Amino acid sequence: MACFVPFNNRNLDISFFVFKPTVVLVEELVDALKEFSACTETLGCVNSSIFRSIHGNLIIWYAAWMKRSRENKEMLISSLLQMLKNLSNKGVLVEYRFVDAYAGESKEGSCVAKFYTGDVICLNVGTSTAGDLNDVSYANLAIFKDRFWKMEGAISGVCLKLQDMPAVLCLYVWKSLQHCYSWILNADHRKTMLPYLDRFKLDIKYDIFRVVYVSTEAALSWHSNSTSPALTLATEGESKERRQVMQI
């Protein structure tokens, strides 16, 4: 099953936790975050995923949560930070944010941006030093609408805005790393972006990530592996009986 980012904020809260590994084997941090993901299900986590930077050393833990009040969200953050102290010997928590999704598109006709383990994701983050968040969000949406259907190899994309500062994000899911590189190298960003964003004095950052973990896939794998031989035989026997009844 896929992990996903919704195209709006009606039903889910979305969070990103950014880490820098402090261990030689980055997989140690990734494995610890996998265990952490499993523990967050009891806190209302619907699905989660881990992104690993292809060119840098950042690890992002993404999670979608059942919608909650501001007070409950603050309690959730406090609980998560307390749990993450157990990972402090493997990585440094650089930043964490809750964001609102406010627009999105999919060339597959989906109402969410779906991705699986192994997929390529590009994140564009723009932080404004001038201008209202609503104005910055509208400009970001205008660029997204103008570019998305021209981006060969892009499967889906989502526009997001931070809840506590004038900053916006775009998350794109790509068919392949080659498609992502091609777009970045060939697109004329000066002509397509600067007319919209110049007045906001945006600090824009890009990074490309590989999805290395999806919680729903891990749960499905665990369920498959935990099925007992006796249960499998019983199920097969029931199926055989059903086929015999249908033949009669």
Side-chain angles (χ1 to χ4, degrees):
M1 295 175 63
C3 192
F4 64 88
V5 182
F7 290 165
N8 57 63
N9 68 338
R10 285 194 292 267
N11 300 315
L12 295 174
D13 287 320
I14 299 170
S15 66
F16 292 93
F17 284 66
V18 184
F19 298 85
K20 276 191 176 180
T22 56
V23 287
V24 176
L25 297 176
V26 179
E27 287 303 320
E28 291 184 13
L29 174 59
V30 173
D31 289 341
L33 285 172
K34 290 178 182 178
E35 295 180 11
F36 170 73
S37 291
C39 296
T40 59
E41 293 179 8
T42 58
L43 298 176
C45 183
V46 176
N47 64 60
S48 59
S49 183
I50 301 172
F51 310 155
R52 182 172 177 176
S53 176
I54 291 176
H55 301 289
N57 64 339
L58 294 181
I59 302 289
I60 293 181
W61 181 72
Y62 160 82
W65 307 86
M66 298 297 295
K67 199 75 175 175
R68 62 193 68 208
S69 66
R70 176 177 289 274
E71 292 77 13
N72 287 337
K73 193 179 298 180
E74 290 174 355
M75 292 174 60
L76 171 63
I77 293 173
S78 178
S79 298
L80 293 173
L81 293 178
Q82 185 65 33
M83 293 166 64
L84 286 170
K85 287 182 179 179
N86 296 327
L87 279 67
S88 60
N89 62 331
K90 296 180 176 64
V92 175
L93 177 60
V94 179
E95 187 177 8
Y96 62 91
R97 299 288 180 185
F98 273 79
V99 300
D100 290 327
Y102 64 97
E105 296 279 0
S106 171
K107 294 177 183 177
E108 296 179 333
S110 175
C111 59
V112 295
K114 297 186 293 186
F115 50 88
Y116 302 82
T117 300
D119 281 350
V120 173
I121 286 179
C122 181
L123 273 174
N124 309 338
V125 182
T127 305
S128 176
T129 57
D132 179 74
L133 175 59
N134 289 330
D135 292 337
V136 177
S137 300
Y138 180 79
N140 185 51
L141 176 60
I143 295 171
F144 176 81
K145 291 288 187 182
D146 178 66
R147 299 170 72 188
F148 178 72
W149 292 98
K150 303 173 186 175
M151 298 169 69
E152 183 179 353
I155 301 171
S156 56
V158 189
C159 293
L160 309 115
K161 55 185 176 183
L162 273 66
Q163 295 179 351
D164 55 354
M165 64 184 296
V168 292
L169 298 83
C170 274
L171 181 150
Y172 296 100
V173 182
W174 290 88
K175 287 182 179 179
S176 69
L177 189 58
Q178 288 70 28
H179 280 104
C180 183
Y181 284 152
S182 179
W183 170 258
I184 292 173
L185 293 174
N186 296 326
D188 191 342
H189 299 295
R190 288 184 175 274
K191 289 183 179 179
T192 59
M193 294 180 64
L194 289 184
Y196 293 100
L197 303 178
D198 191 44
R199 65 191 178 94
F200 297 114
K201 297 179 171 52
L202 283 181
D203 177 23
I204 301 176
K205 298 178 181 179
Y206 297 81
D207 206 345
I208 305 172
F209 297 85
R210 180 80 66 182
V211 179
V212 295
Y213 171 80
V214 167
S215 61
T216 47
E217 290 178 351
L220 186 63
S221 174
W222 179 87
H223 179 74
S224 299
N225 293 334
S226 64
T227 303
S228 67
L231 181 59
T232 302
L233 289 172
T235 305
E236 289 175 351
E238 289 174 4
S239 299
K240 184 177 181 180
E241 289 176 2
R242 289 195 190 99
R243 287 197 296 272
Q244 289 174 344
V245 171
M246 290 176 66
Q247 288 172 358
I248 293 172

